[in-house]
Amino acid sequence: MTEETLATAAPSGPPELSDADIYEAMKEIPGYLDITPGSFKEVYRLAFRLARKRLFEEVTAAHLMTREVIAVRPETPVEEVAQAMGRAGISGVPVVDGENRVVGVISERDFLQRMGAKEGNFMSLVALCLKTRGCVAVPIKEKRAADLMSAPAVTVAPDTPLREILQLFDTRHINRVPVADAAGRLQGIITRGDLIRVLGGLK
């Protein structure tokens, strides 16, 4: 998801019912129903909106997060960070201290920007490579995670509702957020993909 925001991707209304759907549903309910198809449709729309609002408050970070998180330490060489991200097929990892407290986040964008791709995307790096002799990653070869990470990290608490998490992703333009307890210790992580899957389930 690039231009479209997560908030606007959330379904604002229920899937539209046809009159045929309603007639078939009413036929399957035993006994006499004192309601018109039009009224039935209105009740359905209102119930959907109320359920959607409730779910956006009741579903929290604890429900959404992945608990098994790949994290690195501030002193981890960036080469090892890149290897870990590559093996796992992920685009970012939390950076934690010796007490598992989140002290930063390091992502593909951090690598790209430190390699000179000012726009922070892969194609700008390709363009830079085509203009440059040698590997543009060499200047960061001796760096550590602490040198590249974004800090302080944006985190959420386990009880943060889905509504606030969606707003956070949109306003901070982030693709992942670590979930931390009151002491800042890593509990899990939520990615943009997790949110898209949840929103897809609300359609």
Side-chain angles (χ1 to χ4, degrees):
M1 185 170 296
T2 54
E3 297 178 359
E4 186 179 32
T5 65
L6 285 168
T8 56
S12 58
E16 194 59 34
L17 293 178
S18 69
D19 289 344
D21 293 332
I22 295 172
Y23 281 123
E24 288 302 316
M26 293 174 73
K27 282 165 55 179
E28 291 188 15
I29 298 175
Y32 174 71
L33 289 178
D34 188 15
I35 187 171
T36 66
S39 297
F40 186 99
K41 194 178 291 188
E42 283 302 310
V43 171
Y44 166 72
R45 289 174 178 149
L46 178 59
F48 182 93
R49 286 197 298 272
L50 292 173
R52 180 177 181 272
K53 181 179 179 181
R54 175 175 54 78
L55 288 173
F56 273 45
E57 293 296 331
E58 290 184 355
V59 175
T60 66
H63 297 112
L64 299 168
M65 68 183 185
T66 298
R67 297 175 188 276
E68 298 296 324
V69 185
I70 295 174
V72 298
R73 299 285 292 275
E75 63 272 21
T76 304
V78 293
E79 180 181 350
E80 292 182 20
V81 176
Q83 289 172 344
M85 290 168 59
R87 281 195 301 270
I90 54 179
S91 58
V93 292
V95 182
V96 297
D97 66 12
E99 297 183 8
N100 206 35
R101 292 177 300 206
V102 182
V103 295
V105 172
I106 186 167
S107 68
E108 285 181 350
R109 179 181 293 269
D110 295 313
F111 276 89
L112 293 170
Q113 290 181 336
R114 294 301 291 266
M115 287 190 291
K118 294 181 179 177
E119 289 78 11
N121 60 56
F122 177 71
M123 290 315 299
S124 62
L125 180 65
V126 171
L128 180 63
C129 287
L130 293 174
K131 293 192 303 185
T132 306
R133 291 185 178 180
C135 177
V136 295
V138 169
I140 67 168
K141 186 176 179 179
E142 304 301 325
K143 302 288 186 185
R144 307 283 169 170
D147 299 321
L148 269 66
M149 69 183 187
S150 299
V154 176
T155 63
V156 296
D159 61 352
T160 304
L162 172 59
R163 176 182 53 77
E164 290 184 22
I165 297 169
L166 289 170
Q167 291 172 346
L168 185 67
F169 272 65
D170 279 341
T171 57
R172 302 297 294 266
H173 305 292
I174 55 178
N175 291 316
R176 67 198 58 77
V177 63
V179 182
D181 65 14
R185 292 186 295 263
L186 182 64
Q187 303 295 301
I189 194 166
I190 299 169
T191 68
R192 191 165 284 253
D194 294 327
L195 296 179
I196 291 172
R197 280 191 290 278
V198 169
L199 296 175
L202 294 179
K203 289 182 178 178

